[in-house]
Amino acid sequence: MSVEGNPGRRLLDEDRLFSSDPSQRSVARRLYAEIRDLPIVSPHGHTDPRWFADNEAFENPAKLFVTPDHYVFRMLYSQGIPLESLGVARRDGGPVESDPRKVWRLLAENYGLFRGTPSRLWLDHALSEVFGVQERLSAANADAVYDQVQACLDKPEYRPRALFDRFKIEVIATTESPLDPLESHARVRDSDWDGRVITAYRPDPVVDPEYEDFTANLEQLAEMTGETTSGWKGYLAALQQRRGFFAEMGATSTDHGHPSAATADLDPAACQSLLDRALSGAITAEDAELFRAQMLTEMARMSLEDGLVMQIHPGSFRSHNQKLMAGFGRDMGADIPTRTDYVRALRPLLSRFGNEPGLDVILFTLDETSYSRELAPLAGHYPILKLGPAWWFYDSPEGMLRYRRSVTETAGFYNTVGFNDDTRAFLSIPARHDVARRIDCAYLAELVCDHRLDEDEALEVAVDLTYNLVKKAYRL
Amino acid sequence: MSVEGNPGRRLLDEDRLFSSDPSQRSVARRLYAEIRDLPIVSPHGHTDPRWFADNEAFENPAKLFVTPDHYVFRMLYSQGIPLESLGVARRDGGPVESDPRKVWRLLAENYGLFRGTPSRLWLDHALSEVFGVQERLSAANADAVYDQVQACLDKPEYRPRALFDRFKIEVIATTESPLDPLESHARVRDSDWDGRVITAYRPDPVVDPEYEDFTANLEQLAEMTGETTSGWKGYLAALQQRRGFFAEMGATSTDHGHPSAATADLDPAACQSLLDRALSGAITAEDAELFRAQMLTEMARMSLEDGLVMQIHPGSFRSHNQKLMAGFGRDMGADIPTRTDYVRALRPLLSRFGNEPGLDVILFTLDETSYSRELAPLAGHYPILKLGPAWWFYDSPEGMLRYRRSVTETAGFYNTVGFNDDTRAFLSIPARHDVARRIDCAYLAELVCDHRLDEDEALEVAVDLTYNLVKKAYRL
Amino acid sequence: MSVEGNPGRRLLDEDRLFSSDPSQRSVARRLYAEIRDLPIVSPHGHTDPRWFADNEAFENPAKLFVTPDHYVFRMLYSQGIPLESLGVARRDGGPVESDPRKVWRLLAENYGLFRGTPSRLWLDHALSEVFGVQERLSAANADAVYDQVQACLDKPEYRPRALFDRFKIEVIATTESPLDPLESHARVRDSDWDGRVITAYRPDPVVDPEYEDFTANLEQLAEMTGETTSGWKGYLAALQQRRGFFAEMGATSTDHGHPSAATADLDPAACQSLLDRALSGAITAEDAELFRAQMLTEMARMSLEDGLVMQIHPGSFRSHNQKLMAGFGRDMGADIPTRTDYVRALRPLLSRFGNEPGLDVILFTLDETSYSRELAPLAGHYPILKLGPAWWFYDSPEGMLRYRRSVTETAGFYNTVGFNDDTRAFLSIPARHDVARRIDCAYLAELVCDHRLDEDEALEVAVDLTYNLVKKAYRL
């Protein structure tokens, strides 16, 4: 069975995501034509650096598209399909489906569940643009598509580095714990391949007292740095030393995934006392929150010194499903957004550093109500603040449009930082950037067509949103 | 005076609620043509079962359209028109307008207040489609329209059963307290009419310690069931017994209208202690909340056993206007939505039952901020959760569009359950379903026209949203 | 260099802000043609009454457009431009840029920052319509535009009273503290100019215990009124006396800018006790909140007596940036919206006065989530409540559209009160009213084109929104 479809029919329409209004569509086309081929700058994401260090072939379609992608398997799970049947590993090593073709068929048979979701756009894009599949995935063509993708994966031009080059990725950042030796990054750097793969400093395991093994993590940090991490001063020095190492390895940013955006500005004695309780394992939830809050302010201080751009990603209730956490661990599609305050939460940090030239703090949210009410007003005033793009569940056509419509009028375009793909699904990277570019063009076309913006300006903005702003904001 | 208007002019436009963009409009038309005549499945509402048991004529236009419809009289009240002048009964039996024509004239004279509201759509639909009125209601034609409607009501084909059949209602659910003997339902069942009118189990009066006459209600429950409702075990057994009776009488669902979505999972001793305080009448607001929270979890457990689908309708601050509550009682248009949390509130229930095959919990909200932030992420993950449609104040064109745009990208279409009319205004039922069908088609047409969805898929989705999903979700 | 541009090119398009859909655009054009020339009624704003009393020329373009406009300088500040370089006065009298041409150049060089913001629309409108500039402001034409504007300002027809007349302002309200002697208003009244400039009673400095110099303010109030403001009764009498004086001077409304919408209804002894603590300077944050809450209820009571319309503008976290507050004082673009509750907050006031004929309370919000969830349901029920227009950060095309789409379906058009420009930037007044009129027409055109409203009704609504509702709501 052929999955390349009829000659005249393609899986992706050239005008997808542009308004059906003819005047808007034609403006959007013109804008998009100028940015579609700009390189991808990916300053924030979760790809595995070993892919680029080892450059081994991706194993099979299921391991590429289903098993690692929580967007995909959470939807299937929500309709009663067990994670085991999707090949997701159990923590107890219990049996899970090991035949990738069976996993793939489950995706194909249930492909209709993804109607109207961004996952559908990304999967169609990857199947079509990367693997040449021109028919919509279905139960009927599941095996044929599987075979076509597998045949590609077996070829050298589908290995990670080749795809990286084909996707025109100018630079990609991964995310690592300060405890990571960054061995894969060293191997990429030392290789003869010139792809730019950098890290980002994500200290949650060593700044969140409620993180698994926090005490052990601080001991490991002490070993790695030679600092006494049970003392406040030594603890900060250890964190700072690792930041320096990350910066040497190419990092230009840090990233902070706290439950809230709370910040604090305590005196050192109070900090030492919090640290003592954290290490004793007897810290209360309130004190753990206060500890994290203090650490955001400390990280801002260090950023002012070492120039790493600070990213704050608050508001996810992690691993909400206790049974799934017990059976499968973190990142199983059970992280749920929560209401998030920024105005009061960030004030301690902003009171200390909000007006500092040389400091850049990029804010993200999972609470869209904060776009127009809190984030745009804050970023439209404080010099250190910029807004990250629509994040996670909102990395989608409607999500991005709501973001632009809610943010632009108060913060403008130039207090935003371009697009983040934020993904561990490598094949979705060009798809996600393409969606972002198209939606930005669609939004700009609206402004042009109702005469809020001239087309020459819109074109300049389109290029800035796609390329210039991200380079500048992340110091790349 | 004729109210059938000019021959070429109709009150309702054939293309109403479709986008004015020609390409979207033509897709919407094609989709709508395939679903407009599907039967109405109404799994949740508040029609009076006596209408179908007694099949008596509706008395007059005022009693049909104004006096029982809190959407209508709240708008008039907001502009200073006393409820007394609209014929709404006072609790003290004090005088209210008794001439239905005068009540009707107040509606007609103030019809402009409803511009842009769904009430206007529903009233126009009923007047036009059911009663043949083809002129916009106004002070000038008030009496003529009144006479035309009254003339219809006097005919047998405008009696409840005839309208039920004419509206192509396949099944309708009403809502009753566990204390209700379901006598009307029995009469419908035992009649020679084959209309399917079922009940739904709404236990608020016996699970909310703050409900009027809670203690007396539990005594009545004890009498009805032979259980000792002052003991936790007997209390639960009584509730379960009534569920069984409701199921026998056709119920496939329960419904829970708590102030919040709080759930709890306490041990039996703590439950008995709460029940003791509830029955003593000395329960605090916090304990009343905890009692209700525990009861949601108990109801989920019973649903897992008896298969009744569980509906949670939280977040209404009931009877906010104290003067109106004193003068006229509940349901006087003074219920106001409040901010509602789901993520933390539902966790005790979800930790216990969130992954259970065979359990279905349908969530509703009056807090639209939860659509994309909480509800879609929860329903797009937990197998037991589905999302009810846009509810109450959001049962409207813009409300439904916001719902689809906020929910679909994360939860898809298949974690939603089709439409609920949720009304006590019988004549609005076909109007409301028609609005929902049109808006779904308009939304799907958007997706088709910007190439997020193929038209063959959109058609399948349209049929599912209108008919299949509701049948499946409510086990009808 | 000419800044009047090419003959055929204008800075403002005639169809700006109308949908690009041809059918919607043509309806919007027809509606707008009927309202574009209606007089401006400006019931709420912050222009300086001395302008109209003294009628002196505006000094230069920088002092007209940049230095007093926090919308403008906050955006520049957010991108690292110091307020000093924009000529904003420091509290310590330290040096700031004194050359208005240099300030103007900073605006021109950074004009791109305002792309997509309402400030851009207002600036373009004023430059084009008032000063005849037909080229987009830029670094290249900064000096030429400066010269052209300056040349105008030097002419008598650009003095405040002439512009007032040219803008067709029928009436404008300024905002003053009860401590203000209203001397400028008296001079306007006693002049031979017939422009109607009225005041509004803004008692924050004497009803908020956390306001700077609260105790001294009450002493001044005592002196002005002869009342003993340290006693609850005398304090209320003094406030009431000043309301009477304001009403004499033309005021038809009061205005209240509290951090929240909290109201209270305490007994006089509790009030006296709060007042004692407030005057002692030792009041807690909670008690200060309670004091303000009580004062809203007292103000409602006085409004019922003296007929002043009550405006509540809650939810701004004032002067969030501590360094800027220290350096430059209030109103420096650092006020940030916060989440705001209305349902519980307003209940004490509504329980006492919510159904009173003769009382009008206009609610505003900086929390858009409250539009559909709280404000429209409240205003669509309580006779005393009306909704103010989209406010502050939401006085913008998208902000206004979200407002109409969220509010209309539940509250209708007739529980809203037309437009407020709420500005201290005199030149933006016609621009802002024009944006509001265009957006209302665009929204009404949507309703007409998808057949939710007939065009004859839409036209009536357009006139009401522009002129009749504001006159009625503010008793002008």
Side-chain angles (χ1 to χ4, degrees):
Chain A
M1 177 182 182
S2 161
V3 286
E4 297 183 4
N6 301 326
R9 171 82 175 85
R10 293 185 61 77
L11 193 49
L12 300 182
D13 190 280
E14 279 302 302
D15 284 327
R16 64 192 181 279
L17 303 178
F18 299 155
S19 168
S20 57
D21 176 76
S23 57
Q24 288 189 39
R25 182 166 286 191
S26 67
V27 173
R29 277 179 187 158
R30 288 197 294 271
L31 298 175
Y32 179 68
E34 300 293 320
I35 61 163
R36 67 178 300 161
D37 295 323
L38 288 175
I40 286 176
V41 179
S42 175
H44 178 93
H46 304 285
T47 52
D48 188 335
R50 286 176 301 180
W51 295 338
F52 311 114
D54 299 341
N55 199 33
E56 289 186 1
F58 292 107
E59 211 170 329
N60 60 56
K63 285 211 176 161
L64 192 59
F65 284 114
V66 183
T67 315
D69 191 338
H70 55 72
Y71 288 83
V72 169
F73 63 67
R74 81 192 302 275
M75 177 64 89
L76 297 169
Y77 185 73
S78 79
Q79 290 279 318
I81 298 171
L83 292 188
E84 287 88 345
S85 69
L86 297 168
V88 179
R90 292 190 53 86
R91 290 172 81 177
D92 63 7
V96 303
E97 181 56 59
S98 61
D99 181 347
R101 193 177 288 269
K102 286 190 184 159
V103 171
W104 181 258
R105 283 180 193 150
L106 275 174
L107 172 66
E109 288 157 12
N110 292 283
Y111 206 54
L113 299 179
F114 296 94
R115 288 169 181 162
T117 71
S119 295
R120 164 69 180 271
L121 294 174
W122 304 330
L123 290 165
D124 279 0
H125 185 111
L127 290 173
S128 163
E129 299 295 293
V130 182
F131 297 105
V133 175
Q134 295 302 346
E135 250 185 31
R136 197 166 72 211
L137 186 62
S138 67
N141 65 17
D143 281 349
V145 172
Y146 186 95
D147 292 338
Q148 183 162 332
V149 173
Q150 185 66 60
C152 291
L153 293 180
D154 295 340
K155 296 180 194 168
E157 59 264 39
Y158 288 84
R159 298 216 164 190
R161 290 181 182 178
L163 288 175
F164 186 105
D165 294 338
R166 176 174 166 190
F167 294 165
K168 288 196 268 189
I169 298 175
E170 181 175 310
V171 53
I172 197 168
T174 65
T175 321
E176 273 78 34
S177 155
L179 303 177
D180 193 299
L182 304 181
E183 181 271 337
S184 294
H185 290 83
R187 282 197 290 133
V188 170
R189 191 190 53 186
D190 299 341
S191 76
D192 58 359
W193 179 59
D194 67 353
R196 186 173 173 203
V197 179
I198 62 178
T199 184
Y201 182 85
R202 171 87 171 224
D204 300 359
V206 290
V207 303
D208 176 1
E210 295 180 321
Y211 210 92
E212 296 96 288
D213 306 319
F214 176 74
T215 303
N217 290 345
L218 257 58
E219 282 163 17
Q220 191 183 339
L221 183 65
E223 272 171 47
M224 291 178 92
T225 59
E227 298 285 350
T228 307
T229 57
S230 59
W232 183 246
K233 220 171 140 181
Y235 169 61
L236 294 183
L239 291 170
Q240 193 146 19
Q241 189 191 123
R242 294 303 293 165
R243 291 172 63 108
F245 175 65
F246 271 59
E248 265 173 47
M249 295 299 291
T252 69
S253 67
T254 70
D255 183 35
H256 306 275
H258 292 197
S260 81
T263 64
D265 193 9
L266 306 171
D267 64 50
C271 294
Q272 181 65 55
S273 159
L274 276 174
L275 179 59
D276 292 344
R277 271 169 287 161
L279 288 172
S280 78
I283 196 164
T284 62
E286 287 72 26
D287 278 350
E289 176 76 354
L290 189 57
F291 189 95
R292 290 186 296 263
Q294 178 65 26
M295 291 314 297
L296 281 188
T297 308
E298 299 292 346
M299 289 288 130
R301 179 182 57 73
M302 293 186 200
S303 277
L304 186 57
E305 289 169 19
D306 63 20
L308 292 180
V309 172
M310 182 175 189
Q311 300 173 89
I312 303 181
H313 279 92
S316 180
F317 188 125
R318 302 278 171 178
S319 303
H320 190 273
N321 189 326
Q322 294 183 296
K323 187 184 153 197
L324 238 69
M325 178 65 186
F328 298 89
R330 282 178 169 252
D331 298 326
M332 287 298 127
D335 298 344
I336 309 290
T338 57
R339 216 148 55 198
T340 305
D341 162 69
Y342 293 86
V343 179
R344 286 179 176 78
L346 291 176
R347 198 158 188 248
L349 188 158
L350 291 170
S351 292
R352 187 149 159 209
F353 297 119
N355 304 282
E356 288 292 345
L359 178 60
D360 286 314
V361 177
I362 302 175
L363 299 176
F364 294 80
T365 197
L366 292 173
D367 181 352
E368 296 182 299
T369 69
S370 65
Y371 285 157
S372 68
R373 187 184 57 215
E374 305 183 20
L375 292 176
L378 285 167
H381 165 66
Y382 279 102
I384 70 165
L385 296 181
K386 298 283 175 291
L387 300 189
W391 177 36
W392 201 334
F393 296 103
Y394 314 119
D395 177 7
S396 62
E398 300 287 349
M400 290 174 187
L401 277 175
R402 284 197 297 270
Y403 171 83
R404 289 280 176 222
R405 288 176 181 151
S406 298
V407 156
T408 308
E409 294 187 323
T410 293
F413 291 106
Y414 294 91
N415 286 306
T416 66
V417 303
F419 182 63
N420 282 187
D421 54 69
D422 188 28
T423 191
R424 61 198 78 229
F426 188 46
L427 272 286
S428 77
I429 289 177
R432 289 170 188 249
H433 284 261
D434 187 63
V435 170
R437 291 173 190 197
R438 287 174 178 274
I439 293 293
D440 281 339
C441 291
Y443 173 68
L444 288 165
E446 277 179 21
L447 299 189
V448 170
C449 288
D450 65 8
H451 305 288
R452 281 184 273 174
L453 200 63
D454 296 329
E455 189 168 335
D456 66 315
E457 297 182 282
L459 180 54
E460 199 177 303
V461 172
V463 174
D464 288 338
L465 297 182
T466 304
Y467 189 76
N468 296 322
L469 279 173
V470 62
K471 297 263 289 185
K472 186 179 168 206
Y474 283 91
R475 306 185 179 183
L476 290 166
Chain B
M1 177 181 181
S2 162
V3 287
E4 296 183 6
N6 302 325
R9 171 82 176 83
R10 293 185 62 76
L11 192 51
L12 300 182
D13 190 279
E14 279 302 301
D15 284 327
R16 63 191 182 279
L17 303 178
F18 299 156
S19 168
S20 57
D21 176 76
S23 57
Q24 288 189 40
R25 182 166 287 191
S26 68
V27 173
R29 278 179 187 158
R30 288 196 294 272
L31 298 175
Y32 179 68
E34 300 294 320
I35 61 165
R36 66 178 300 161
D37 295 323
L38 288 175
I40 286 176
V41 179
S42 176
H44 179 94
H46 304 285
T47 51
D48 188 335
R50 285 175 300 180
W51 296 337
F52 311 114
D54 299 340
N55 199 33
E56 291 186 358
F58 293 107
E59 210 169 329
N60 60 56
K63 283 211 177 160
L64 193 60
F65 284 115
V66 183
T67 313
D69 191 338
H70 55 72
Y71 289 82
V72 170
F73 64 66
R74 80 191 304 275
M75 177 65 89
L76 297 169
Y77 186 73
S78 79
Q79 290 277 319
I81 297 172
L83 292 187
E84 286 87 345
S85 68
L86 297 168
V88 179
R90 292 190 53 86
R91 291 172 81 176
D92 62 7
V96 303
E97 181 57 58
S98 61
D99 180 348
R101 194 177 287 270
K102 286 191 184 159
V103 171
W104 181 257
R105 282 180 194 149
L106 275 174
L107 173 66
E109 288 157 13
N110 292 283
Y111 206 55
L113 298 179
F114 296 95
R115 289 170 179 161
T117 71
S119 295
R120 164 69 181 271
L121 295 173
W122 304 330
L123 290 165
D124 279 0
H125 185 111
L127 290 172
S128 162
E129 298 296 293
V130 182
F131 298 104
V133 175
Q134 294 302 345
E135 249 185 32
R136 196 165 72 213
L137 185 62
S138 67
N141 66 16
D143 282 349
V145 172
Y146 185 94
D147 292 337
Q148 183 161 332
V149 173
Q150 184 67 60
C152 290
L153 293 180
D154 294 340
K155 296 180 194 168
E157 58 263 41
Y158 289 84
R159 297 216 166 193
R161 290 182 183 178
L163 288 175
F164 185 105
D165 294 338
R166 175 174 167 189
F167 294 165
K168 288 195 267 187
I169 297 175
E170 182 175 310
V171 52
I172 197 168
T174 65
T175 321
E176 273 78 33
S177 155
L179 304 176
D180 193 300
L182 304 182
E183 181 270 339
S184 294
H185 289 83
R187 282 196 289 134
V188 170
R189 192 190 51 185
D190 300 340
S191 75
D192 57 358
W193 179 58
D194 67 352
R196 187 173 172 202
V197 178
I198 62 178
T199 183
Y201 182 86
R202 171 86 172 227
D204 300 0
V206 290
V207 303
D208 177 0
E210 295 180 321
Y211 210 92
E212 294 96 289
D213 306 319
F214 176 74
T215 303
N217 290 344
L218 258 58
E219 282 164 17
Q220 190 182 340
L221 183 64
E223 273 171 46
M224 292 177 91
T225 60
E227 298 284 350
T228 308
T229 57
S230 59
W232 183 247
K233 222 172 139 179
Y235 169 61
L236 295 183
L239 291 170
Q240 194 146 19
Q241 189 191 122
R242 293 304 292 167
R243 291 172 63 106
F245 174 65
F246 272 59
E248 265 173 48
M249 295 298 290
T252 68
S253 67
T254 70
D255 183 35
H256 307 274
H258 292 195
S260 82
T263 65
D265 193 10
L266 306 172
D267 63 50
C271 294
Q272 181 65 55
S273 159
L274 275 174
L275 179 59
D276 292 345
R277 271 169 288 160
L279 288 172
S280 77
I283 196 164
T284 64
E286 289 70 27
D287 278 351
E289 175 77 354
L290 189 57
F291 190 94
R292 289 186 296 261
Q294 178 64 27
M295 290 316 295
L296 282 188
T297 308
E298 299 292 346
M299 289 288 128
R301 178 181 57 72
M302 293 184 199
S303 276
L304 187 56
E305 289 169 19
D306 63 21
L308 292 181
V309 173
M310 183 175 188
Q311 300 173 88
I312 304 180
H313 280 92
S316 180
F317 189 124
R318 302 277 171 179
S319 303
H320 190 272
N321 189 327
Q322 294 183 295
K323 187 184 155 198
L324 238 67
M325 179 66 185
F328 298 88
R330 284 178 167 252
D331 299 325
M332 287 298 126
D335 298 344
I336 310 290
T338 58
R339 215 148 54 199
T340 306
D341 162 70
Y342 294 85
V343 179
R344 286 178 177 79
L346 291 175
R347 198 158 188 248
L349 187 158
L350 291 169
S351 292
R352 188 150 158 208
F353 297 120
N355 304 282
E356 288 292 345
L359 178 60
D360 286 313
V361 177
I362 303 176
L363 300 176
F364 294 80
T365 197
L366 291 173
D367 181 352
E368 297 182 299
T369 70
S370 66
Y371 284 158
S372 69
R373 187 184 56 216
E374 305 183 22
L375 293 177
L378 286 166
H381 165 66
Y382 279 100
I384 69 165
L385 296 180
K386 298 283 175 291
L387 299 189
W391 176 38
W392 201 336
F393 296 104
Y394 314 120
D395 177 6
S396 62
E398 300 286 350
M400 290 174 185
L401 277 174
R402 286 198 295 270
Y403 170 84
R404 288 281 176 221
R405 288 178 181 149
S406 298
V407 156
T408 308
E409 294 186 323
T410 292
F413 292 104
Y414 293 91
N415 285 307
T416 65
V417 303
F419 182 64
N420 283 187
D421 54 69
D422 189 28
T423 190
R424 61 197 76 227
F426 187 46
L427 273 287
S428 77
I429 289 177
R432 289 171 188 247
H433 283 262
D434 187 64
V435 170
R437 291 173 189 197
R438 286 174 177 274
I439 292 294
D440 281 340
C441 290
Y443 174 67
L444 288 165
E446 277 179 20
L447 299 189
V448 169
C449 287
D450 65 7
H451 305 287
R452 283 184 272 174
L453 200 63
D454 296 329
E455 190 167 333
D456 66 315
E457 299 182 281
L459 180 54
E460 199 177 304
V461 173
V463 174
D464 288 337
L465 297 182
T466 304
Y467 189 77
N468 295 322
L469 280 172
V470 60
K471 298 263 288 185
K472 186 178 168 207
Y474 283 90
R475 306 184 179 184
L476 289 166
Chain C
M1 177 182 183
S2 162
V3 287
E4 297 182 6
N6 301 327
R9 171 84 176 82
R10 292 185 61 78
L11 193 50
L12 301 183
D13 190 279
E14 280 302 302
D15 284 327
R16 64 191 182 280
L17 303 178
F18 300 155
S19 168
S20 57
D21 176 75
S23 56
Q24 288 189 39
R25 182 165 287 190
S26 66
V27 173
R29 276 179 188 158
R30 288 196 295 273
L31 298 175
Y32 179 68
E34 300 293 320
I35 61 163
R36 67 178 300 161
D37 296 322
L38 288 175
I40 286 176
V41 179
S42 175
H44 179 93
H46 304 285
T47 51
D48 188 335
R50 284 176 302 179
W51 296 337
F52 311 114
D54 299 340
N55 199 33
E56 290 186 359
F58 293 107
E59 210 170 330
N60 60 56
K63 284 210 176 162
L64 192 60
F65 284 114
V66 183
T67 314
D69 191 337
H70 55 72
Y71 287 83
V72 169
F73 64 66
R74 81 191 303 274
M75 177 64 89
L76 298 168
Y77 185 73
S78 79
Q79 289 278 320
I81 298 171
L83 292 188
E84 287 87 345
S85 68
L86 298 168
V88 179
R90 291 189 54 85
R91 290 172 81 176
D92 62 8
V96 303
E97 181 57 59
S98 61
D99 180 349
R101 194 177 286 271
K102 285 190 185 160
V103 172
W104 181 258
R105 283 180 192 149
L106 275 174
L107 173 66
E109 288 158 11
N110 291 284
Y111 206 54
L113 299 179
F114 295 95
R115 288 170 180 161
T117 70
S119 295
R120 165 69 181 272
L121 294 173
W122 303 330
L123 290 165
D124 279 1
H125 186 111
L127 289 173
S128 163
E129 298 296 291
V130 182
F131 298 104
V133 175
Q134 295 302 346
E135 250 185 31
R136 195 166 72 212
L137 185 62
S138 67
N141 65 18
D143 281 350
V145 172
Y146 186 94
D147 293 336
Q148 182 162 334
V149 173
Q150 185 66 61
C152 291
L153 293 180
D154 295 340
K155 295 179 195 171
E157 59 264 39
Y158 289 83
R159 298 217 164 191
R161 290 181 181 178
L163 289 175
F164 186 105
D165 294 338
R166 177 174 166 189
F167 294 165
K168 288 195 267 187
I169 298 175
E170 182 175 310
V171 52
I172 197 167
T174 65
T175 322
E176 274 77 34
S177 155
L179 304 177
D180 192 300
L182 304 182
E183 179 271 337
S184 295
H185 289 82
R187 281 197 290 135
V188 170
R189 191 191 50 184
D190 300 340
S191 75
D192 57 358
W193 178 59
D194 67 352
R196 186 174 172 201
V197 178
I198 61 177
T199 184
Y201 183 85
R202 170 87 170 224
D204 300 359
V206 290
V207 302
D208 177 1
E210 294 180 322
Y211 209 93
E212 295 98 286
D213 306 319
F214 176 74
T215 303
N217 291 344
L218 258 58
E219 283 163 15
Q220 192 184 339
L221 183 65
E223 272 171 45
M224 292 177 91
T225 59
E227 298 284 351
T228 307
T229 57
S230 58
W232 183 247
K233 220 170 140 182
Y235 170 62
L236 295 183
L239 291 170
Q240 193 146 18
Q241 187 190 123
R242 294 304 292 167
R243 292 172 64 108
F245 175 65
F246 272 58
E248 265 173 48
M249 295 299 290
T252 68
S253 67
T254 71
D255 182 37
H256 305 275
H258 292 196
S260 81
T263 64
D265 193 10
L266 306 172
D267 64 51
C271 295
Q272 180 65 55
S273 160
L274 275 173
L275 179 59
D276 292 344
R277 272 168 287 161
L279 288 172
S280 77
I283 195 163
T284 62
E286 287 72 26
D287 278 352
E289 176 77 353
L290 189 57
F291 190 94
R292 290 185 298 262
Q294 178 64 26
M295 291 315 297
L296 282 187
T297 307
E298 299 292 347
M299 289 287 128
R301 179 180 57 73
M302 294 184 198
S303 277
L304 186 57
E305 290 170 16
D306 62 22
L308 292 180
V309 173
M310 182 175 188
Q311 301 174 87
I312 303 181
H313 280 92
S316 179
F317 188 125
R318 302 278 171 178
S319 303
H320 191 272
N321 189 325
Q322 294 183 296
K323 187 183 153 198
L324 238 67
M325 178 66 186
F328 298 87
R330 281 177 169 253
D331 298 326
M332 288 297 127
D335 298 344
I336 310 290
T338 58
R339 214 147 57 198
T340 305
D341 162 69
Y342 293 86
V343 179
R344 286 178 176 80
L346 291 176
R347 198 157 188 250
L349 188 157
L350 291 170
S351 291
R352 188 150 159 209
F353 298 119
N355 304 283
E356 288 292 345
L359 177 60
D360 286 313
V361 177
I362 303 176
L363 299 176
F364 294 79
T365 196
L366 292 172
D367 181 352
E368 296 183 298
T369 70
S370 66
Y371 284 156
S372 68
R373 187 185 57 215
E374 306 182 22
L375 292 177
L378 286 167
H381 165 65
Y382 279 102
I384 69 164
L385 296 180
K386 298 282 175 292
L387 299 188
W391 176 37
W392 199 335
F393 296 104
Y394 314 118
D395 177 7
S396 62
E398 301 287 348
M400 290 174 187
L401 277 175
R402 286 198 296 271
Y403 170 83
R404 289 280 175 222
R405 288 177 181 150
S406 298
V407 156
T408 308
E409 294 186 323
T410 293
F413 292 106
Y414 294 92
N415 286 305
T416 65
V417 303
F419 182 63
N420 282 188
D421 54 69
D422 189 28
T423 190
R424 61 197 77 228
F426 187 46
L427 272 286
S428 76
I429 289 176
R432 289 170 188 248
H433 284 262
D434 187 64
V435 169
R437 291 174 188 195
R438 287 174 177 275
I439 293 294
D440 281 339
C441 290
Y443 174 67
L444 288 165
E446 278 179 21
L447 300 190
V448 169
C449 287
D450 65 8
H451 305 287
R452 283 184 272 174
L453 199 63
D454 296 329
E455 190 168 333
D456 66 314
E457 298 182 282
L459 180 55
E460 199 177 304
V461 172
V463 174
D464 288 339
L465 297 181
T466 304
Y467 189 76
N468 296 321
L469 279 173
V470 60
K471 297 263 290 185
K472 185 178 168 206
Y474 283 90
R475 306 184 179 184
L476 289 167

